[in-house]
Amino acid sequence: MSFKEDFKKFAMRGNVIDMAVGVIIGGAFGKIVGSFVNDIIMPPLGMAIGKMDFTNLFVSLNGQHYATLEAAKKAGAPVLAYGSFINAVLDFVILAFIIFIMVRQINRLNPPPAPKPDPRLCPYCRSEIADDATRCPHCTSQLD
């Protein structure tokens, strides 16, 4: 089989296509959650703790003071932008919580299948036999 045919066979499998769709939807969903955190959650949270904008929380590593993160980046200063990290952590926590809620609801709609009953065993050789068997296929004993 040629490389091209082998790759085509791999790429057209159902699992690969399903995964690709999941990644694309996940990326779009990540943007929605990012906007939710940055535009809805962070402004009131910043106001509640003293009108602070988390995106402007940073430490300049060159020892100079800059009014904003943007000003420090324009000056080419090395910075630790820990406010952006806080936003990213909040994005992750909110996204993980939403996925948890979704999976929990899906599991409620689709309960796991009932466990199978214990198999019927031959009383003589203890081998598994069919429920309607009249003779054990393993030891040939007559069954009740």
Side-chain angles (χ1 to χ4, degrees), residues 116-135:
K116 291 184 178 181
D118 291 335
R120 181 178 174 204
L121 300 178
C122 172
Y124 302 103
C125 70
R126 306 302 295 161
S127 297
E128 188 174 324
I129 55 175
D131 288 338
D132 59 347
T134 58
R135 188 173 289 276

Side-chain angles (χ1 to χ4, degrees), residues 1-2 10 15-16 25 28-29 37 75 82 85 106 110 115 120 122:
M1 186 177 285
S2 74
F10 165 77
N15 294 350
V16 174
I25 290 174
F29 190 66
V37 170
Y82 65 92
F85 179 74
I106 289 169
N110 299 324
R120 181 178 174 204
C122 172

Side-chain angles (χ1 to χ4, degrees), residues 85-143:
F85 179 74
I86 291 171
N87 280 347
V89 168
L90 285 172
D91 282 353
F92 172 77
V93 168
I94 290 171
L95 184 59
F97 181 72
I98 290 170
I99 290 172
F100 168 74
I101 295 297
M102 287 173 54
V103 168
R104 193 169 180 207
Q105 294 304 319
I106 289 169
N107 287 342
R108 283 186 181 167
L109 293 175
N110 299 324
K116 291 184 178 181
D118 291 335
R120 181 178 174 204
L121 300 178
C122 172
Y124 302 103
C125 70
R126 306 302 295 161
S127 297
E128 188 174 324
I129 55 175
D131 288 338
D132 59 347
T134 58
R135 188 173 289 276
C136 176
H138 305 284
C139 69
T140 68
S141 298
Q142 187 70 33
L143 303 172

Side-chain angles (χ1 to χ4, degrees), residues 3 6 17 19 21-22 31 38 42 46 52-53 58 63 67 71 73 80 92 98-99 114 116-117 119 125 138:
F3 179 80
D6 199 25
I17 306 247
M19 186 177 70
V21 170
K31 288 180 182 180
N38 294 328
M42 295 311 284
M52 183 180 289
D53 181 10
F58 68 97
K73 286 184 177 181
L80 290 176
F92 172 77
I98 290 170
I99 290 172
K116 291 184 178 181
C125 70
H138 305 284

Side-chain angles (χ1 to χ4, degrees), residues 25 40 65:
I25 290 174
I40 307 290
H65 178 71

